[in-house]
Amino acid sequence: MSLNRVEQVFFDYLSQRAEERQYWQEKVRRLVAKDGVNHYSIMALERDLWGNFVERSQMVPALKDWVRHHGSAKTSMRNLAEYLVRLWVAPRPKPKGTPDVKTL
């Protein structure tokens, strides 16, 4: 999946901060548990991600710097929302070579 520049900057920010990452992991999991994975839950997550990016870009030096150089025009966070759902909620594939165990 390809993230746009704003999504990548925000994902890098989340990746480097354990508390922020944990907050978003729980938020994503709660949203999907409540509403499932659908267009509406992805759009809600996208809206929350953008709002948080705007809020954090006023305080966090790295994000503030990025906005100063690239502007703060509304940018889609849909790919990031979908990626976070896949990353933190979607079932992990079985490792290859692991046989299926059937119960009798």
Side-chain angles (χ1 to χ4, degrees), residues 67-82:
V67 167
R68 188 176 321 118
H69 286 54
H70 296 86
S72 61
K74 172 75 170 97
T75 304
S76 172
M77 292 278 197
R78 184 177 177 96
N79 287 343
L80 181 57
E82 291 176 354

Side-chain angles (χ1 to χ4, degrees), residues 7 20 26 29 34 53 63 75 79 83-85 91 101 103:
E7 291 171 318
E20 286 283 333
E26 290 304 314
R29 289 178 181 144
K34 179 180 169 237
F53 175 79
L63 299 178
T75 304
N79 287 343
Y83 180 63
L84 295 180
V85 168
V101 177
T103 57

Side-chain angles (χ1 to χ4, degrees), residues 1 15 22 62:
M1 172 169 289
S15 297
Q22 186 175 26

Side-chain angles (χ1 to χ4, degrees), residues 3-46:
L3 302 177
N4 65 41
R5 292 185 299 167
V6 176
E7 291 171 318
Q8 187 64 57
V9 165
F10 197 57
F11 180 73
D12 292 345
Y13 165 76
L14 294 177
S15 297
Q16 296 168 0
R17 287 160 184 82
E19 288 181 17
E20 286 283 333
R21 184 177 55 253
Q22 186 175 26
Y23 167 81
W24 281 101
Q25 285 174 338
E26 290 304 314
K27 185 173 184 83
V28 167
R29 289 178 181 144
R30 276 193 316 270
L31 179 68
V32 169
K34 179 180 169 237
D35 298 333
V37 178
N38 58 51
H39 172 75
Y40 300 106
S41 59
I42 295 296
M43 297 306 290
L45 184 56
E46 176 188 17

